[in-house]
Amino acid sequence: MADLAESVESMEQLAAVWRMMVLDRDPGADVRDLPGVAVRWADCRFAFWNCVTLTDVGADADLLAERLGRAADVMRGKEHPGFLWVFEDLLDEGARQALPAAAGRAGLAPAFPGTGMAGDVLPLPDPVHPDLTFARVTTDDQLRAYADLNSRAYGFPLEDGRDGLLGSTLWKDDAYAYLALRDGVPVACAAALEADGRLFVALVATDPHWQRRGYGEAVTRKALHEGARATGLTRATLHATAAGAPVYPRIGFRANSPMHFYALKA
């Protein structure tokens, strides 16, 4: 049950953090809690800000099919594409086995995998990396650099990331968002946001030209160090992509639920 509790925590953190981020992007965004489906949809060009997730615990195959259909209907009603997030461990065994076929029948196609992670990892020491200095994001230029790093790392057009982040007050005032600078040039970034008594790690990215040098881990440690120092929190959560998943156990995070990201079929 401990693993299930952490999977529920991971889903609830998604719903809480994405509420903040989506409403920061657009106070009129579609933020609703439907039966078994949480909608967090800014309907902007930055696809990560357009999110639907399933919230039932222990859903069987029939309930899963119903929820997938509802989620797909929500997504079809939007101008911009986004993702449905499914936490595998919240499904019963039959629903897990039925998920690929049920998603296909609902008009959804796999986009990429992920992993929920959490840990009582804080406080962390102030990180030192021989190549890097760190700067907290407080200006529009720094926020643009943060957006561009995410776009390059995840393969989005630069304008998509900028559409999601430029103009934000949350990222400049409340998030512990940091750039890692090599010779004054931003090469990686990470942020920690306070939500429900935890720090949530978000939008970790490294410029593709500077990957595999420990830059992403270093700036993640910086965001967590400063967030914990300011808030006194000791627990942190995150959702890792396949590329990032090997990094976070080195910081002390433990994997809980496998995650599946789905997009509407083309």
Side-chain angles (χ1 to χ4, degrees), residues 1-12 57 89-90 118 198 235 254 256:
M1 294 301 291
D3 289 343
L4 178 58
E6 289 196 350
S7 297
V8 172
E9 174 190 43
S10 196
M11 176 271 291
E12 290 178 343
V57 178
D89 284 357
L90 300 187
R198 299 158 180 82
R235 187 164 181 82
R254 182 177 67 184
N256 45 68

Side-chain angles (χ1 to χ4, degrees), residues 179-248:
L179 297 171
L181 308 174
R182 179 185 169 114
D183 298 326
V185 177
V187 293
C189 60
L193 298 95
E194 183 176 0
D196 294 339
R198 299 158 180 82
L199 287 177
F200 182 86
V201 177
L203 296 190
V204 178
T206 302
D207 187 295
H209 296 294
W210 296 107
Q211 292 177 353
R212 304 187 187 282
R213 291 173 169 84
Y215 295 172
E217 179 180 343
V219 73
T220 300
R221 287 179 177 273
K222 180 63 174 178
L224 285 167
H225 167 77
E226 297 295 345
R229 192 163 68 93
T231 64
L233 296 174
T234 60
R235 187 164 181 82
T237 63
L238 59 86
H239 301 131
T241 62
V247 172
Y248 302 114

Side-chain angles (χ1 to χ4, degrees), residues 12-173:
E12 290 178 343
Q13 282 278 284
L14 170 63
V17 173
W18 255 249
R19 174 186 291 273
M20 290 191 299
M21 294 193 295
V22 165
L23 291 177
D24 170 67
R25 169 58 180 76
D26 178 5
D30 187 358
V31 174
R32 292 177 287 159
D33 292 303
L34 306 173
V37 177
V39 182
R40 307 287 187 264
W41 202 284
D43 215 11
C44 67
R45 288 181 54 173
F46 191 46
F48 286 148
W49 271 199
N50 303 331
C51 165
V52 180
T53 191
L54 305 188
T55 58
D56 294 301
V57 178
D60 62 16
D62 290 339
L63 184 58
L64 172 66
E66 178 184 330
R67 301 307 194 213
L68 291 172
R70 170 66 68 87
D73 286 344
V74 169
M75 297 167 74
R76 289 189 191 96
K78 304 304 183 184
E79 178 180 358
H80 295 287
F83 300 109
L84 166 67
W85 304 39
V86 179
F87 293 84
E88 181 180 303
D89 284 357
L90 300 187
L91 307 176
D92 77 9
E93 185 59 35
R96 293 179 203 179
Q97 295 179 9
L99 176 59
R105 289 192 295 271
L108 298 162
F112 52 92
T115 306
M117 293 188 173
D120 297 304
V121 302
L122 305 170
L124 293 173
D126 198 359
V128 175
H129 192 290
D131 297 348
L132 304 175
T133 58
F134 302 103
R136 187 171 180 181
V137 173
T138 59
T139 70
D140 290 338
D141 286 344
Q142 289 170 325
L143 190 58
R144 181 178 291 104
Y146 196 109
D148 290 353
L149 281 167
N150 273 269
S151 293
R152 287 193 289 269
Y154 294 107
F156 297 144
L158 292 184
E159 287 305 317
D160 288 11
R162 293 174 182 179
D163 190 41
L165 286 169
L166 292 191
S168 170
T169 56
L170 174 70
W171 286 85
K172 291 189 295 183
D173 296 345

